[in-house]
């Protein structure tokens, strides 16, 4: 076994580039890569060159020459045109198939030498291919006779930061914002480059820099210059920047009398503002906006509607190729008494009224990034509007940066969910990638979990969620196991024992979290404000739908939110046959039982348990899995560097304590409704 005693702080993420400790593979790699020629000359080619120099020297444990032209058995890296100049022709049909962002990696005999060619239609795509090749080496794959091609399934893959201009981060658990606005544009922190490297390595091609609860200042000339400086850093990595504007910006910045999107003076202000942005940032991605939601201003404040606001902004962006992400996270209680139904009721009637460069952006589920939600019914309900999928990488409701929870499984469940929009197979993934309704535009956005903490994400294992977001956004067909496998090998070790152990932890972690927090479709049970820890009794919020009792509705008869046709009828927002399946207690998947039904305590579940017994069983199973993670982790002590080992150990202790708290508080609270308050463990 390999003893790992070198201290690590997690800064390097999955780009650790440790020497290949598999003799057979190392010999193969050394033989195959006697030199690496990066053919281009631009800024991106320079980045590729330095990444390869650094990575190969470390992985192969000896410097690899990087000549201008290939020498011997070489890695040959460039655009398709550049490769042609050194005698490698990629057939035009293949090149067409790659699109702007795809890449291919191919072994090829050239004279007496063997080359491994990494090729693409653009320099940033070559960079993606180079990172993919490095991943093969980092994970000890066979690189003999390579012939692979890959292109993204979703066009815009954006990491969205809820970072405030004062450096704080809304729902951020890894210390302060990465963007140092006070020092920009003069000082370019080297960390901006490392952020871009990390994003580029997993195919993320956009970053939205500021919080959707936005500060108008980000659109002032002073701040746009700062944003432009960041855009200049990110550009060669193939990453475009986006901003979150506030709809009242014309009033706040330039004292216009109104922010009404229908007012010509307002539209002119935005057009001018957007022109100013594009003068500074010619490849600016566009805007992501939160409007008429949780106190953010919106068109409805002026008697206009979402489409009026969205189209006005979209018209300003369109001449420059910019896009508009209009968030559908709205829950105006006058629309419907069931919060889960509101967004659908507001947005579906607007289908067909948005400009082509508008995305309606919906969260994965209809409430708010809960440990588990059914997919948002807007997916599959707006035929004429491209829908962007918003996922939350930061673990607001899933234990923040204390709990080890691998979110890939949650996202995969959502992406694979069948909406039945145009019949079976109309998965959320295929709605989002545009294929169900024939949209060419597609977008996925993840709320970032990064901050200036040395290990980027607060918890070493939260890095896995950043990684998985990028990989799934690139190819939602990748399995969660495969993504976990890659990440573990690169971040921890290729040692099979470490690999298996950490995989067991990752792959059981989401289900465990659901079990100890909100099993069987329960949701919204966290403490108010900070959202960490349980509070099922909470009932004193300003809005009724911010109360936890509103969601679980526990009483002496049973528990759960009746969203069947006999209740709020939220099921009607889903297509048949899913609608009917969810509507009936007997066919509703148990994982969503209490989301859609108010169920008697003595109702029998598939396990044979009554609902009450099953709930208790789930709480216990969740806690037991955290105990198991702790003992698995302890078994790895000699194989993990001490600093990261200790850090994760401490986190697991805290997670265990909090998981027990969830179990005990919920059991005691719900126990009182069945006259069984004592059945819970003492609090
Ligand atoms: O998840 C909730 C959060 C808010 C957030 C909001 C949103 C940015 O509690 O902090 O605000 O959703 O998505 O707009």
């Amino acid at each position: 076994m390999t003893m790992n005693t070198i201290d690590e702080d997690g800064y390097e993420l999955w780009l650790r580039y440790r020497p290949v400790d598999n003799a057979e593979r190392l010999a193969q790699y050394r033989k195959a890569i006697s030199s690496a020629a990066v053919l281009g000359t631009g800024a991106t080619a320079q980045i590729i060159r330095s990444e390869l120099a650094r990575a190969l020297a470390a992985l192969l444990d000896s410097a690899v020459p990087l000549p201008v032209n290939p020498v011997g058995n070489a890695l040959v890296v460039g655009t398709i045109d550049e490769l042609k100049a050194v005698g490698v022709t990629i057939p035009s049909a293949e090149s067409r198939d790659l699109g702007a962002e795809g890449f291919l990696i191919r072994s090829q005999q050239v004279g007496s030498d063997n080359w491994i060619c990494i090729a693409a239609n653009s320099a940033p795509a070559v960079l993606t291919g180079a990172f993919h090749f490095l991943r093969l080496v980092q994970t000890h794959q066979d690189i003999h006779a390579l012939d692979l091609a890959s292109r993204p399934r979703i066009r815009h893959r954006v990491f969205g930061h809820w970072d405030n201009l004062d450096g704080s981060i809304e729902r951020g658990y890894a210390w302060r914002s990465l963007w140092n606005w006070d020092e920009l544009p003069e000082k370019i922190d080297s960390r901006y480059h490392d952020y871009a490297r990390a994003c580029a390595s997993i195919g993320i091609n956009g970053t939205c820099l500021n919080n959707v609860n936005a500060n108008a200042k980000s659109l002032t000339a002073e701040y746009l210059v700062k944003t432009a400086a960041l855009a200049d850093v990110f550009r060669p990595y193939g990453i475009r920047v986006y901003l979150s504007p506030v709809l009242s910006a014309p009033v706040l910045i330039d004292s216009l009398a109104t922010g009404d999107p229908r007012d010509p003076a307002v539209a002119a202000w935005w057009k001018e503002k957007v022109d100013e942005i594009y003068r500074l940032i010619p490849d600016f991605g566009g805007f992501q906006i939160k409007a008429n939601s949780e106190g953010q201003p919106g068109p409805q404040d002026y008697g206009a509607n979402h489409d009026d606001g969205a189209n006005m902004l979209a018209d300003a962006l369109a001449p420059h190729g910019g896009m508009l992400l209009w968030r559908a996270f709205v829950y105006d209680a006058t629309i419907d008494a069931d919060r889960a139904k509101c967004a659908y009721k507001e947005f579906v009637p607007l289908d067909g009224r948005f400009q082509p460069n508008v995305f309606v952006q919906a969260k994965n589920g209809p409430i708010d990034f809960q440990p588990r939600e059914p997919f948002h019914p807007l997916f599959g309900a707006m035929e004429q509007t491209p829908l962007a999928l918003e996922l939350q990488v930061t673990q607001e409701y899933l234990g923040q940066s204390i709990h080890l929870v691998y979110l890939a499984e949650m996202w995969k469940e959502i992406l694979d969910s069948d909406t039945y929009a145009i019949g079976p197979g109309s998965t959320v993934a295929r709605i989002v990638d545009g294929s169900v309704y024939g949209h060419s535009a597609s977008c996925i956005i993840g709320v970032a979990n990064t901050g200036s903490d040395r290990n980027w994400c607060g918890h070493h294992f939260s890095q896995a969620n950043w990684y998985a977001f990028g990989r799934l956004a690139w190819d939602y067909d990748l399995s969660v196991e495969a993504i976990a496998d890659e990440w573990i090998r690169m971040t921890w070790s290729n040692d099979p024992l470490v690999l298996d152990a950490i995989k067991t932890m990752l792959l059981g972690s989401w289900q465990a979290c659901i079990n100890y927090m909100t099993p069987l479709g329960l949701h919204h049970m966290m403490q108010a404000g900070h959202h960490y820890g349980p509070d099922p009794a909470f009932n004193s919020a300003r809005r009724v739908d911010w109360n936890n009792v509103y969601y679980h509705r526990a009483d002496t008869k049973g528990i759960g939110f009746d969203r069947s046709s006999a209740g709020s009828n939220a099921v009607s927002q889903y297509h048949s046959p899913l609608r009917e399946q969810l509507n009936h207690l007997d066919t509703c998947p148990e994982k969503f039982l209490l989301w859609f039904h108010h169920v008697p305590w003595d109702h029998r579940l598939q396990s044979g348990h009554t609902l009450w017994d099953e709930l208790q069983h789930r709480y216990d199973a969740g806690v037991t899995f955290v105990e198991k993670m702790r003992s698995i982790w302890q078994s790895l002590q000699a194989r993990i560097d001490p600093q990261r080992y200790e850090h994760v150990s401490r986190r697991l202790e805290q997670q265990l304590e909090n998981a027990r708290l969830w179990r005990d508080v919920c059991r005691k609270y719900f126990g009182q409704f069945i006259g069984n308050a004592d059945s819970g463990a003492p609090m």
Side-chain angles (χ1 to χ4, degrees):
M1 99 183 181
T2 335
M3 298 292 284
N4 195 347
T5 50
I6 303 166
D7 237 356
E8 298 195 33
D9 58 15
Y11 183 83
E12 295 171 289
L13 297 161
W14 48 88
L15 303 173
R16 280 166 67 253
Y17 304 140
R18 292 292 176 269
V20 173
D21 56 1
N22 171 324
E24 193 189 322
R25 284 285 188 256
L26 181 62
Q28 183 193 49
Y29 301 156
R30 283 184 171 161
K31 182 157 179 244
I33 315 168
S34 62
S35 73
V38 179
L39 305 174
T41 51
T44 305
Q46 199 46 50
I47 287 166
I48 299 171
R49 201 169 284 120
S50 63
E51 193 72 32
L52 288 177
R54 158 192 197 160
L56 294 174
L59 287 160
L60 309 193
D61 210 9
S62 68
V64 171
L66 282 109
V68 178
N69 287 308
V71 178
N73 289 338
L75 191 60
V76 185
V77 187
T79 61
I80 285 171
D81 289 343
E82 289 159 359
L83 273 143
K84 201 165 172 191
V86 294
V88 177
T89 307
I90 308 296
S92 56
E94 272 186 72
S95 137
R96 240 193 337 271
D97 282 351
L98 292 179
E101 294 189 296
F103 60 84
L104 60 80
I105 304 180
R106 177 169 296 165
S107 306
Q108 186 149 336
Q109 173 105 31
V110 178
S112 59
D113 296 324
N114 289 307
W115 289 2
I116 297 174
C117 302
I118 303 177
N121 285 311
S122 70
V126 177
L127 175 64
T128 318
F131 275 118
H132 190 92
F133 178 76
L134 289 175
R135 178 156 51 231
L136 299 178
V137 175
Q138 285 175 278
T139 58
H140 299 186
Q141 305 302 304
D142 187 354
I143 61 163
H144 173 73
L146 287 173
D147 189 11
L148 62 92
S150 180
R151 62 177 288 175
R153 310 290 293 261
I154 297 172
R155 173 73 185 87
H156 302 288
R157 304 172 300 281
V158 183
F159 213 36
H161 296 264
W162 287 355
D163 291 20
N164 300 313
L165 301 186
D166 66 2
S168 61
I169 306 178
E170 182 154 350
R171 312 305 177 190
Y173 312 103
W175 211 25
R176 309 276 294 169
S177 173
L178 287 168
W179 327 130
N180 198 330
W181 295 106
D182 292 341
E183 294 181 352
L184 285 164
E186 288 82 16
K187 189 174 166 215
I188 300 298
D189 194 323
S190 64
R191 194 157 186 172
Y192 303 149
H193 286 276
D194 288 335
Y195 167 82
R197 282 175 62 226
C199 285
S201 76
I202 50 176
I204 288 174
N205 66 1
T207 176
C208 187
L209 299 178
N210 65 318
N211 191 357
V212 291
N213 288 329
N215 184 334
K217 215 160 62 172
S218 68
L219 293 181
T220 58
E222 183 194 352
Y223 272 78
L224 289 178
V225 176
K226 297 169 188 278
T227 293
L230 287 174
D232 290 343
V233 173
F234 300 154
R235 185 169 301 112
Y237 295 89
I239 297 167
R240 308 208 295 176
V241 302
Y242 298 70
L243 287 174
S244 297
V246 56
L247 203 75
S248 55
V251 181
L252 297 170
I253 297 179
D254 281 324
S255 306
L256 263 63
T258 176
D260 187 339
R262 296 164 304 182
D263 187 310
V266 171
W269 186 92
W270 281 104
K271 190 176 172 330
E272 214 173 290
K273 183 52 73 183
V274 169
D275 290 348
E276 179 189 350
I277 295 175
Y278 277 92
R279 277 195 299 276
L280 292 164
I281 311 168
D283 58 349
F284 181 68
F287 290 143
Q288 175 196 203
I289 184 162
K290 173 174 179 177
N292 288 122
S293 165
E294 299 186 333
Q296 289 298 301
Q300 292 170 346
D301 301 346
Y302 309 101
N305 211 340
H306 294 294
D307 54 323
D308 299 311
N311 291 338
M312 183 274 293
L313 292 176
D315 286 344
L317 291 158
H320 306 282
M323 61 190 217
L324 180 74
L325 298 167
W326 189 270
R327 295 177 89 233
F329 180 62
V330 293
Y331 52 104
D332 175 349
T334 64
I335 300 284
D336 198 284
D338 180 357
R339 172 171 164 184
K341 290 171 66 187
C342 294
Y344 180 104
K345 286 176 79 171
E346 280 206 44
F347 279 90
V348 172
L350 303 180
D351 192 21
R353 290 181 27 191
F354 292 102
Q355 294 291 25
N357 59 332
V358 175
F359 285 86
V360 166
Q361 176 178 315
K363 294 185 179 183
N364 56 287
I367 296 293
D368 188 13
F369 297 138
Q370 291 301 295
R372 174 182 254 151
E373 299 195 24
F375 70 85
H376 200 303
L378 274 177
F379 294 104
M382 294 185 73
E383 188 174 343
Q384 298 174 66
T385 314
L387 287 201
L389 169 61
E390 180 174 353
L391 302 172
Q392 197 181 42
V393 186
T394 191
Q395 293 166 235
E396 176 179 358
Y397 298 102
L398 291 102
Q400 305 178 357
S401 59
I402 305 290
H403 294 216
L404 189 169
V405 188
Y406 179 50
L407 300 178
E409 303 213 45
M410 177 199 315
W411 303 331
K412 190 75 171 170
E413 178 174 284
I414 292 292
L415 288 160
D416 288 348
S417 295
D418 200 340
T419 69
Y420 294 96
I422 55 165
S426 313
T427 58
V428 171
R430 295 194 52 238
I431 301 285
V432 175
D433 77 8
S435 60
V436 165
Y437 291 128
H439 296 298
S440 55
S442 53
C443 178
I444 185 165
I445 179 162
V447 182
N449 63 348
T450 46
S452 54
D453 194 299
R454 186 67 193 160
N455 73 19
W456 299 88
C457 302
H459 193 313
H460 292 286
F461 275 81
S462 302
Q463 298 175 355
N465 294 328
W466 182 8
Y467 184 83
F469 169 72
R471 297 291 286 140
L472 276 178
W474 181 272
D475 182 2
Y476 55 71
D477 278 335
L478 288 173
S479 73
V480 294
E481 291 83 359
I483 296 170
D485 192 279
E486 292 174 1
W487 179 79
I488 299 164
R489 288 173 182 274
M490 295 190 285
T491 308
W492 299 100
S493 171
N494 280 280
D495 174 348
L497 207 135
V498 175
L499 185 61
D500 286 354
I502 296 186
K503 213 182 275 179
T504 305
M505 295 168 71
L506 287 179
L507 297 179
S509 61
W510 177 50
Q511 187 55 58
C513 177
I514 297 166
N515 278 340
Y516 61 70
M517 287 186 180
T518 50
L520 299 173
L522 286 172
H523 50 292
H524 208 292
M525 305 263 290
M526 66 290 167
Q527 290 183 34
H530 55 68
H531 296 171
Y532 187 80
D535 191 2
F538 182 60
N539 196 19
S540 55
R542 197 152 51 77
R543 286 178 59 129
V544 62
D545 56 5
W546 284 351
N547 285 326
N548 295 341
V549 299
Y550 164 92
Y551 292 97
H552 63 67
R553 301 182 176 220
D555 55 25
T556 51
K557 294 201 200 68
I559 178 173
F561 197 132
D562 186 357
R563 295 189 168 109
S564 73
S565 50
S568 80
N569 204 19
V571 294
S572 67
Q573 295 183 340
Y574 292 94
H575 292 277
S576 292
L578 181 60
R579 173 191 302 174
E580 291 75 17
Q581 193 198 355
L582 297 173
N583 193 37
H584 298 293
L585 192 58
D586 298 335
T587 51
C588 181
E590 286 187 348
K591 61 186 177 187
F592 298 130
L593 196 64
L594 306 180
W595 187 283
F596 288 108
H597 297 276
H598 191 76
V599 183
W601 291 111
D602 59 1
H603 177 77
R604 293 253 165 230
L605 299 192
Q606 276 154 22
S607 60
H609 293 149
T610 63
L611 172 61
W612 173 235
D613 287 345
E614 182 67 19
L615 265 183
Q616 302 198 69
H617 168 75
R618 298 286 178 119
Y619 288 130
D620 282 334
V623 171
T624 302
F625 191 83
V626 183
E627 286 163 352
K628 179 172 166 183
M629 289 202 289
R630 183 177 61 167
S631 62
I632 292 177
W633 189 249
Q634 283 163 354
S635 76
L636 296 179
Q637 179 161 15
R639 296 164 193 262
I640 305 282
D641 48 285
Q643 198 179 146
R644 290 192 299 168
Y645 175 81
E646 282 306 325
H647 193 277
V648 172
S649 296
R650 279 198 303 278
R651 291 291 203 241
L652 285 168
E653 293 298 339
Q654 290 172 285
Q655 179 175 3
L656 183 55
E657 193 185 320
N658 194 246
R660 286 177 176 150
L661 187 72
W662 271 94
R663 176 195 61 190
D664 296 345
V665 168
C666 293
R667 200 150 68 177
K668 177 146 193 208
Y669 175 78
F670 293 130
Q672 67 186 336
F673 294 103
I674 54 167
N676 198 4
D678 293 337
S679 66
M683 283 167 61

